[in-house]
Amino acid sequence: MPSEEEKYVLVCPECGSRTFEVHDPKAVDATVHCAECQAEVGRLDEVMATIEARIERQEQKRRRRGFH
């Protein structure tokens, strides 16, 4: 069973929601906002890098557990 920390890749720092919206028609200038409270989470490229890094760490933990 995954821990609460591993369960969700991205959570709004303001309200704890796990739903997000991308604002701006161009991905280069896009910002990510919480769909519930509209708090700005960050630029799309930064948020995607954070998500990818978090997923990679989770996969590495799972792989290490499988080799014991």
Side-chain angles (χ1 to χ4, degrees):
M1 185 80 150
S3 69
E4 196 63 31
E5 178 184 318
E6 293 177 336
K7 201 172 193 179
Y8 305 108
V9 175
L10 189 62
V11 177
C12 175
E14 298 292 323
C15 71
S17 174
R18 297 180 307 271
T19 57
F20 298 90
E21 299 173 336
V22 177
H23 292 264
D24 205 304
K26 297 183 287 184
V28 174
D29 299 325
T31 55
V32 178
H33 291 262
C34 174
E36 301 295 324
C37 71
Q38 297 302 312
E40 184 174 321
V41 178
R43 291 182 33 175
L44 180 59
D45 57 344
E46 294 168 349
V47 171
M48 292 302 295
T50 301
I51 291 170
E52 290 169 359
R54 179 82 182 269
I55 290 169
E56 181 59 32
R57 283 194 307 271
Q58 289 177 355
E59 288 175 353
Q60 287 174 355
K61 283 182 183 179
R62 286 188 192 107
R63 282 188 227 124
R64 280 195 299 260
R65 278 186 260 158
F67 290 118
H68 288 164

